[in-house]
Amino acid sequence: MQRKQALIENEIWKSLIGISSRMWKKGWIRGILYIFLVIALWQVAYVSKRFPPILFPSIGEIAHSFLRDLLNGSMLSRIGFSLKLILYGMIISATIAMVLTLLAMASKNFKSLVTSMISIFDPLPGIALLPLAILWIGIGEEAIIFIMIHSIIWPMLLNVIGGFSSVPAIYRDLGYAFGLKRNRFVFGILIPASIPSILTGFKTGWSRAWRALISAEMVFGATGSSWGIGWDIYLKRSYLDMAGMFASLLVIMIIGIVVENLIFKTIERVTVIKWGMAL
Amino acid sequence: MTDFLCVNNLTQHFISGDQKLEAYSKVSFSLKKGEFLSITGPSGCGKTTLLRTIGGFLPPTSGTISIAGKDIKEPGTHCGMVFQTFDQLLPWKTILGNVMYPLIINHKFTNRVETQHHARKYLDMVGLDKFKDYYPYQLSGGMKQRVAIARALAMEPSLILMDEPFASVDADTRVMLQRELKSIWYKSGITVLFVTHSIIEAISLSTRFLVMGKSKPSIRLFEENSIHSEPDKLITPENTGYSEWWSRLSHLIREGNDSSAHE
Ligand SMILES: Nc1ncnc2c1ncn2[C@@H]1O[C@H](COP(=O)(O)OP(=O)(O)OP(=O)(O)O)[C@@H](O)[C@H]1O
Ligand SMILES: [Mg+2]
């Protein structure tokens, strides 16, 4: 009887270990476990009172600020403001990049001009242009968009021109053989064949623009009645709203993760991964 | 009947650095509509280059090409082309999408349903209708090559240029495809230029042989296939004259490999 009991216990243990090792192998479950671990450590540090509570809020306070901002709509308006600026930057940059790339494909001289410009301006961090933008454009959304475009356009151009130039000769030959001319050739062959590089350009552009945006907002502050997530952090600092600050940092992290791991990954899944073209 | 394809004193040089490389030289021949010409010769004698020039992909160093009386200056839909490489399908389109694409661009049909129906007929002919929704990277090299053949044939051009199209398929499929090609050729009256390394393939398919060599001038032989057989069937060793052609062609190709022989 006792022996049987031991056997059953043994089986239960084995199955528990099996389930947990299988769950461990799933990346997202591991990710959630790590997050809980960080939260737990944080709370332990808070409870231990080693740090002044005014500088080190509890998890409860952070969660409370987060929910407060989320429910009263202020968080959405901050996010909307920041994302709007970055979206403008993306759209304008993509348009300019496309036009410059086509011109570069048409003329060797123009291509060498553009590639030299990329190597000159690409290393320049967007935020370093801020004083210049203020003097030239003034304090406002336009200046931030100027910085966004600078952050996005060079990596995007680099990748799009690189992609267009390295379209395999066989795809060009096919385009000619099918009788594709001018813009049908561009949209039918060159662009789809370069999508892996175009995506890389967008990803690099986004991550640079996102970082530059947060920094630029902190310098500019509010423009008019609305402001973005970067300035939000700055404001909360001046009110010493530590929990609110951490809540906003959390928002920045979440947006970064969502855009990079959900949006870009999804775009890749329905394009380059589906086509077996992933770089 | 006047000549359908005229190749006149064609020479192709490549300049790389200060070196001049002659891919082939002084190639002249002409074909009547509906002929099936196989082009053989040792590796590197310029078969692919010749086909690319005739297709209009490569401007000749000198000489002219005319198809149905018109000079060829650039590629286009005047001829179908099956390239030597595996990766001639557009990776961002499905198998069916690849076959349909040139039909759509050139408005071969008025609606999508007809286009699709036509494309599937040709996919079925190369035995790949089952794979119509796959993407090219999910197919083997030989399967991709068959899709490329279906795509070229579906356009129903009056001339098709094929560069070793069956080189990478297994023996059974190869014979199946040869039979299919010969019957399509016979039914449609299409003119075919067919590069192959297989003498058996050349004899069983073609109405005319072109053998090229490495030394110049490039043409070693341009003659009609004298073996009598049913026109829509493959020529086999049972047909009289087969072995004579076989030994003649293999001898010429072996000789053509020696680049000093003719100079
Ligand atoms: N784009 C090019 N630039 C320079 N040389 C070339 C180019 N294309 C081909 N050649 C040269 O031309 C010659 C003929 O090449 P081609 O590919 O036509 O040979 P082929 O008869 O098709 O050979 P294979 O049977 O191996 O396919 C070769 O010596 C090759 O090196
Ligand atoms: Mg070749």
Side-chain angles (χ1 to χ4, degrees):
Chain A
M1 197 57 198
Q2 226 171 9
R3 219 178 106 81
K4 211 170 178 183
Q5 184 68 27
L7 266 179
I8 291 172
E9 272 172 23
N10 195 8
E11 285 310 306
I12 291 175
W13 274 115
K14 268 200 225 155
S15 106
L16 278 179
I17 292 168
I19 290 172
S20 32
S21 86
R22 242 173 292 142
M23 278 168 65
W24 185 248
K25 283 193 189 112
K26 288 210 194 309
W28 61 274
I29 289 182
R30 223 178 324 168
I32 288 173
L33 281 178
Y34 288 142
I35 290 171
F36 274 113
L37 191 68
V38 170
I39 290 176
L41 285 176
W42 183 285
Q43 197 62 9
V44 168
Y46 173 76
V47 172
S48 76
K49 300 263 183 276
R50 287 288 301 271
F51 309 102
I54 192 157
L55 294 182
F56 203 92
S58 72
I59 291 291
E61 286 164 326
I62 297 175
H64 181 260
S65 296
F66 189 92
L67 285 176
R68 180 201 61 207
D69 288 357
L70 183 69
L71 294 178
N72 69 17
S74 67
M75 187 188 286
L76 277 183
S77 121
R78 310 285 124 78
I79 294 175
F81 181 89
S82 294
L83 288 186
K84 186 188 73 188
L85 291 184
I86 215 168
L87 199 68
Y88 281 161
M90 281 281 197
I91 293 171
I92 298 171
S93 306
T95 315
I96 301 176
M98 209 64 225
V99 172
L100 291 185
T101 302
L102 290 179
L103 290 174
M105 295 312 286
S107 145
K108 278 221 162 62
N109 289 329
F110 192 78
K111 183 172 171 180
S112 77
L113 174 72
V114 174
T115 38
S116 340
M117 277 172 61
I118 294 171
S119 47
I120 292 169
F121 290 116
D122 188 47
L124 193 61
I127 200 70
L129 283 177
L130 207 70
L132 183 71
I134 293 175
L135 291 179
W136 276 3
I137 305 173
I139 291 180
E141 292 178 24
E142 291 81 6
I144 298 188
I145 292 177
F146 174 79
I147 309 268
M148 294 293 92
I149 294 175
H150 166 81
S151 305
I152 300 168
I153 191 112
W154 307 116
M156 195 178 266
L157 267 177
L158 185 72
N159 281 285
V160 178
I161 292 185
F164 269 50
S165 316
S166 54
V167 170
I170 180 74
Y171 300 154
R172 294 162 184 272
D173 283 351
L174 285 173
Y176 299 138
F178 298 163
L180 290 170
K181 297 262 162 66
R182 288 179 289 273
N183 55 343
R184 300 188 82 183
F185 185 77
V186 172
F187 285 100
I189 301 288
L190 292 182
I191 290 181
S194 324
I195 280 183
S197 328
I198 295 177
L199 270 179
T200 310
F202 265 96
K203 282 199 295 201
T204 322
W206 151 269
S207 61
R208 288 212 195 155
W210 181 237
R211 285 154 182 75
L213 176 67
I214 303 297
S215 331
E217 280 184 3
M218 290 203 182
V219 177
F220 279 151
T223 60
S225 57
S226 54
W227 59 87
I229 195 96
W231 179 242
D232 196 49
I233 295 178
Y234 211 68
L235 276 183
K236 283 172 174 160
R237 181 207 61 109
S238 47
Y239 304 146
L240 218 63
D241 175 7
M242 286 310 279
M245 247 178 74
F246 279 111
S248 297
L249 286 178
L250 206 59
V251 171
I252 295 180
M253 276 157 58
I254 292 173
I255 292 178
I257 292 171
V258 165
V259 171
E260 270 154 49
N261 290 298
L262 274 168
I263 299 185
F264 281 123
K265 276 273 150 59
T266 307
I267 295 177
E268 280 176 333
R269 218 178 12 253
V270 300
T271 56
V272 289
I273 293 178
K274 187 164 106 184
W275 304 333
M277 282 175 90
L279 290 177
Chain B
M1 207 149 95
T2 61
D3 291 328
F4 173 69
L5 169 69
C6 291
V7 173
N8 211 330
N9 211 13
L10 218 55
T11 295
Q12 189 72 60
H13 293 165
F14 290 112
I15 312 282
S16 50
D18 51 354
Q19 280 220 317
K20 193 180 84 173
L21 198 143
E22 223 170 29
Y24 58 82
S25 97
K26 299 198 177 68
V27 170
S28 297
F29 65 89
S30 51
L31 288 181
K32 298 207 177 346
K33 199 167 172 42
E35 290 205 65
F36 195 125
L37 178 76
S38 61
I39 303 173
T40 51
S43 188
C45 69
K47 305 180 294 295
T48 296
T49 312
L50 176 65
L51 224 55
R52 288 179 60 80
T53 315
I54 295 174
F57 295 96
L58 205 64
T61 311
S62 66
T64 57
I65 307 141
S66 76
I67 295 173
K70 270 194 286 196
D71 277 358
I72 298 307
K73 296 263 187 276
E74 54 178 30
T77 47
H78 56 267
C79 66
M81 180 99 189
V82 179
F83 296 90
Q84 194 171 1
T85 160
F86 290 156
D87 294 309
Q88 56 182 304
L89 301 180
L90 301 175
W92 55 90
K93 289 187 179 295
T94 60
I95 297 313
L96 183 61
N98 264 282
V99 180
M100 284 170 68
Y101 190 49
L103 299 170
I104 294 170
I105 292 169
N106 294 287
H107 308 288
K108 287 278 169 187
F109 298 93
T110 48
N111 65 57
R112 223 185 152 75
V113 180
E114 277 180 62
T115 314
Q116 192 165 340
H117 184 79
H118 183 82
R120 288 187 62 176
K121 192 173 83 189
Y122 278 89
L123 268 183
D124 195 39
M125 208 141 38
V126 294
L128 290 177
D129 191 47
K130 278 202 297 293
F131 294 88
K132 68 178 170 46
D133 295 323
Y134 282 55
Y135 281 89
Y137 81 99
Q138 297 167 307
L139 267 56
S140 74
M143 288 156 91
K144 284 189 261 197
Q145 208 66 352
R146 276 145 71 192
V147 177
I149 295 165
R151 178 176 64 191
L153 288 173
M155 282 289 284
E156 300 182 337
S158 52
L159 171 67
I160 190 166
L161 312 175
M162 307 176 95
D163 198 353
E164 298 185 40
F166 306 149
S168 50
V169 298
D170 63 89
D172 285 347
T173 314
R174 188 169 181 146
V175 173
M176 186 273 277
L177 290 171
Q178 288 169 352
R179 274 204 203 103
E180 202 60 65
L181 178 64
K182 187 130 192 198
S183 122
I184 292 171
W185 163 80
Y186 182 72
K187 275 187 267 177
S188 63
I190 188 174
T191 308
V192 182
L193 263 63
F194 189 95
V195 173
T196 177
H197 275 290
S198 155
I199 299 173
I200 299 173
E201 189 164 73
I203 298 176
S204 60
L205 285 169
S206 44
T207 61
R208 196 179 276 278
F209 304 115
L210 173 66
V211 179
M212 293 168 73
K214 277 187 176 168
S215 57
K216 317 300 162 193
S218 300
I219 293 192
R220 294 298 141 79
L221 173 133
F222 180 72
E223 254 180 63
E224 203 167 341
N225 185 348
S226 55
I227 303 172
H228 289 287
S229 69
E230 287 180 68
D232 60 335
K233 298 266 157 44
L234 296 182
I235 295 170
T236 64
E238 277 102 73
N239 295 102
T240 41
Y242 186 98
S243 54
E244 286 78 359
W245 268 113
W246 197 92
S247 45
R248 225 181 129 191
L249 291 176
S250 51
H251 178 74
L252 274 170
I253 292 169
R254 211 171 316 126
E255 216 180 55
N257 211 353
D258 182 0
S259 47
S260 59
H262 248 243
E263 263 155 348

